Amino acid sequence: MDISSDVWGQLALEASQVYIDDGTGGPAKSPYAGTTIEKLPDKVLLNIFSYLSHKEICSMSRVCRKWRTIAYNTSLWYSVSLRPEISGLHVTSLDFLLSLISVRFGSSLRYIELPIELITHTVLHELANRCPNLTHMLLDFSTAMQLHDFSELQAFPTKLKYLCVCLSEVIFMEGFMRKIYNFINGLEILHLIGTYEKVEEEEEEIYEVINVHKLKSATPNLRVINLYGINFIDDSHIDAFSSNCIQLECLAVNYCSKVTGSTMKTLFQRSKRLRCLLMNQTNLISEYVMQVEWEKSSIQELDISGTDLSTECLIDMLVRIPNLKFLSAGQLNGFNDTVLNMFMEQGNVRNLIALNLDYSDNLSDEGLYKFLSRYGHQLQGLSLAGMPQITDQLWNTVLPVLNNVIIMVMGTQERLSGNVLVDQLMDGIATNCPRLERLELKWDPDNLRFSDKSQKAIDIFRVKCLKLKCLVLSDGRYYEIVKANFERADRLTVVRTTTCCSVSNYYLLQNYKDLIFN
């Protein structure tokens, strides 16, 4: 929203020249003539500015001197990202950044994101001295080819509760980390983000660019550890954290392909408070997983999607976990009707609120119907995408019991032999799912069948599902119809396309807000 001062001046002029009919046919001045946004109190302007992004606030600061003063108010700068690809803010001068820290950020700053070119010992010194309430920091080294010289680094923010470090696959971080170990022992949440998306198919030499074994000694108070897509992380690193972090509640090692589960038994023996374990796309070995004393664990949230666990292992694990609330077990060849039946008959399913079985080709619609008929009423999140055998007929049948659902994902991008009657489906969702907040329909647009009465079905859906925040559809004619319908009702950001958005049960994780890092 880049609005120049000329535009605002024109708007103010038009507002001051508003006339109304005085009853005699001649124009009379409106009682609001001469009233402009300039008349608003500073407190109200400040509240309006708080809804803008920092890039927009910077644009507004050029309108006039008063708005510049409002834009510089430190309360608007408590959470700042200086990564251009995230915020659109480009800070090219270190001197300018140092000025911002002392003048604009100050004691109000709670969260900051810094790209590699702005991470210097001078900047970190200034943050430590000028921003005493800084508790959350993200340091992005992912594009680094070399580091600045940190030999003179003597100060670092000491009140950090949250630290996210985006790693480079070629830059060794130990020199920098050694300088900050004495300042980060109060950390509760640690993110180490790897370069999974950038990895080439060819096998290259893997460098351990950060020393996890030393890091764990400096961070004994960690509650949440997120190690995402790091190519050198293996079971020994999990063992290292569990040996020192007795407060550990949530461990995520998604896309860490060297993790096999060989230290999982020890992890649960040491980390009695561990409630959430996310191991999506790891290389878990069934033998190791079956050695875990699941019946003694406090685990409530588990993600084993995209692993290669056997049917025997899945049954052994699911019937022994005493209080499972969140299960993500998609893309598992071993997950079949037998596993689901054993989970129902011998496991504790009474507390389950979220279930993701995406791309489970060996599950039948009959097995899922049996499970959902019995437990669907307690589910808040349900994702059954990527399975051609699960049609809209099954969904229409089970929707009456999904009255507590908040998140739903359905459909497959594969072309189906039959068609999906989307009007009937939307009617069923509107009637049965009043608490729905997020919905994704993955079906190919060519499989969707709708009539001239679709607008009425969409209207009913929009009016009855008032809590809906996100509706994701594949590009196509139906997407355009739904998007236009919601936009006419001034709900502009609800309808999105699968090319830029996806829905997940992860929103229901107890530590979800701690786990997001962008």
Side-chain angles (χ1 to χ4, degrees):
M1 196 173 90
D2 295 329
I3 303 178
S4 68
S5 56
D6 292 340
V7 175
W8 280 108
Q10 182 63 29
L11 290 173
L13 179 63
E14 291 175 359
S16 65
Q17 294 178 341
V18 175
Y19 291 90
I20 59 175
D21 190 341
D22 63 357
T24 64
K29 279 194 174 182
S30 163
Y32 301 106
T35 300
T36 69
I37 196 169
E38 288 293 315
K39 302 292 184 181
L40 291 175
D42 288 357
K43 184 186 294 186
V44 176
L45 277 175
L46 186 62
N47 189 46
I48 293 172
F49 273 47
S50 70
Y51 289 92
L52 303 177
S53 70
H54 286 136
K55 184 179 180 182
E56 292 166 340
I57 290 174
C58 290
S59 297
M60 296 301 100
S61 70
R62 297 195 291 268
V63 171
C64 64
R65 187 172 298 170
K66 180 177 181 179
W67 283 26
R68 184 177 180 84
T69 302
I70 296 293
Y72 275 31
N73 191 298
T74 57
S75 66
L76 295 174
W77 298 87
Y78 68 91
S79 177
V80 180
S81 173
L82 298 180
R83 294 194 292 163
E85 69 275 16
I86 302 298
S87 65
L89 295 181
H90 294 260
V91 178
T92 55
S93 165
L94 284 175
D95 289 337
F96 181 55
L97 174 57
L98 296 175
S99 174
L100 287 177
I101 293 172
S102 60
V103 175
R104 197 176 304 188
F105 299 166
S107 60
S108 295
L109 188 67
R110 300 291 192 277
Y111 177 91
I112 191 167
E113 297 183 358
L114 295 173
I116 175 60
E117 60 270 18
L118 300 180
I119 306 173
T120 69
H121 73 272
T122 308
V123 170
L124 296 174
H125 281 172
E126 197 71 2
L127 286 172
N129 295 328
R130 302 281 187 175
C131 306
N133 296 311
L134 182 62
T135 57
H136 291 61
M137 176 181 282
L138 183 149
L139 303 176
D140 187 355
F141 295 95
S142 61
T143 59
M145 296 308 293
Q146 65 180 26
L147 293 183
H148 292 282
D149 181 10
F150 292 101
S151 60
E152 297 182 20
L153 182 63
Q154 302 297 330
F156 192 80
T158 57
K159 292 187 178 180
L160 290 183
K161 300 296 182 185
Y162 170 109
L163 177 63
C164 177
V165 180
C166 300
L167 302 175
S168 166
E169 60 183 357
V170 295
I171 296 299
F172 292 90
M173 300 283 299
E174 188 50 35
F176 169 74
M177 297 301 295
R178 195 182 305 117
K179 287 288 185 177
I180 71 171
Y181 283 148
N182 292 334
F183 301 99
I184 60 174
N185 54 22
L187 278 185
E188 295 181 5
I189 302 164
L190 174 65
H191 291 255
L192 297 180
I193 307 302
T195 55
Y196 170 77
E197 290 87 352
K198 302 178 183 178
V199 172
E200 302 290 338
E201 289 189 9
E202 300 99 24
E203 285 291 330
E204 296 182 0
E205 189 173 355
I206 295 175
Y207 301 105
E208 189 166 337
V209 298
I210 194 167
N211 192 322
V212 171
H213 295 274
K214 290 183 179 178
L215 176 60
K216 61 96 177 180
S217 300
T219 54
N221 297 306
L222 290 177
R223 294 185 299 103
V224 178
I225 300 173
N226 180 21
L227 311 174
Y228 177 88
I230 305 176
N231 53 14
F232 65 81
I233 288 291
D234 59 26
D235 300 277
S236 69
H237 300 106
I238 295 176
D239 186 62
F241 275 121
S242 68
S243 68
N244 196 54
C245 305
I246 61 173
Q247 312 291 337
L248 191 59
E249 298 174 4
C250 174
L251 174 63
V253 289
N254 292 343
Y255 294 91
C256 293
S257 58
K258 286 195 170 185
V259 172
T260 65
S262 62
T263 61
M264 278 181 66
K265 181 177 180 179
T266 306
L267 169 69
F268 280 101
Q269 288 173 343
R270 292 170 175 169
S271 305
K272 300 297 185 183
R273 300 185 181 185
L274 188 64
R275 296 193 310 267
C276 177
L277 181 61
L278 308 179
M279 311 188 84
N280 192 339
Q281 298 292 335
T282 55
N283 280 303
L284 293 179
I285 295 175
S286 297
E287 179 186 352
Y288 295 146
V289 175
M290 293 173 69
Q291 291 173 2
V292 176
E293 297 174 311
W294 293 105
E295 61 278 359
K296 297 180 181 179
S297 74
S298 301
I299 201 73
Q300 297 178 6
E301 300 167 342
L302 181 64
D303 186 352
I304 49 173
S305 295
T307 58
D308 198 25
L309 297 179
S310 66
T311 297
E312 180 188 8
C313 175
L314 291 169
I315 293 173
D316 177 80
M317 177 172 53
L318 292 178
V319 300
R320 289 198 287 144
I321 298 178
N323 188 26
L324 195 60
K325 294 183 178 180
F326 177 107
L327 176 62
S328 183
Q331 305 175 59
L332 291 176
N333 290 329
F335 206 112
N336 52 31
D337 288 355
T338 303
V339 176
L340 209 54
N341 284 329
M342 293 298 288
F343 187 30
M344 282 192 293
E345 301 303 326
Q346 298 184 25
N348 181 11
V349 195
R350 293 191 302 272
N351 297 316
L352 191 71
I353 62 168
L355 180 65
N356 178 340
L357 297 175
D358 290 349
Y359 301 95
S360 295
D361 296 333
N362 294 323
L363 280 171
S364 69
D365 57 348
E366 182 181 352
L368 282 168
Y369 173 74
K370 182 179 177 182
F371 183 89
L372 294 174
S373 298
R374 187 183 302 185
Y375 297 107
H377 65 280
Q378 67 192 46
L379 293 180
Q380 296 178 23
L382 179 60
S383 185
L384 301 176
M387 292 185 279
Q389 72 272 27
I390 307 304
T391 65
D392 55 321
Q393 294 178 340
L394 174 66
W395 280 104
N396 282 318
T397 304
V398 299
L399 280 174
V401 299
L402 298 177
N403 52 306
N404 286 312
V405 75
I406 296 173
I407 299 170
M408 274 198 303
V409 183
M410 60 181 73
T412 178
Q413 295 173 334
E414 296 181 38
R415 290 293 297 274
L416 303 175
S417 55
N419 292 318
V420 176
L421 304 178
V422 70
D423 289 347
Q424 182 181 350
L425 185 63
M426 296 295 260
D427 276 335
I429 295 172
T431 302
N432 297 293
C433 308
R435 299 181 61 196
L436 191 66
E437 295 182 10
R438 300 178 186 274
L439 173 65
E440 181 170 359
L441 306 182
K442 288 181 175 288
W443 280 294
D444 186 292
D446 291 337
N447 281 123
L448 296 182
R449 289 295 174 266
F450 47 93
S451 65
D452 295 336
K453 298 181 180 179
S454 279
Q455 287 288 359
K456 182 177 180 181
I458 299 168
D459 284 336
I460 294 173
F461 172 74
R462 175 172 46 77
V463 170
K464 288 193 174 183
C465 296
L466 291 175
K467 295 183 178 181
L468 192 70
K469 299 175 183 176
C470 178
L471 170 58
V472 181
L473 300 163
S474 297
D475 280 312
R477 187 178 164 212
Y478 188 70
Y479 163 77
E480 297 296 339
I481 293 173
V482 176
K483 184 176 176 64
N485 184 291
F486 273 77
E487 287 181 346
R488 282 196 297 272
D490 289 330
R491 297 177 68 181
L492 305 180
T493 61
V494 172
V495 183
R496 308 170 197 179
T497 174
T498 52
T499 58
C500 62
C501 186
S502 63
V503 169
S504 165
N505 281 347
Y506 267 30
Y507 297 103
L508 296 173
L509 290 174
Q510 188 168 344
N511 294 98
Y512 172 70
K513 290 186 177 180
D514 295 330
L515 286 169
I516 55 177
F517 59 90
N518 256 352

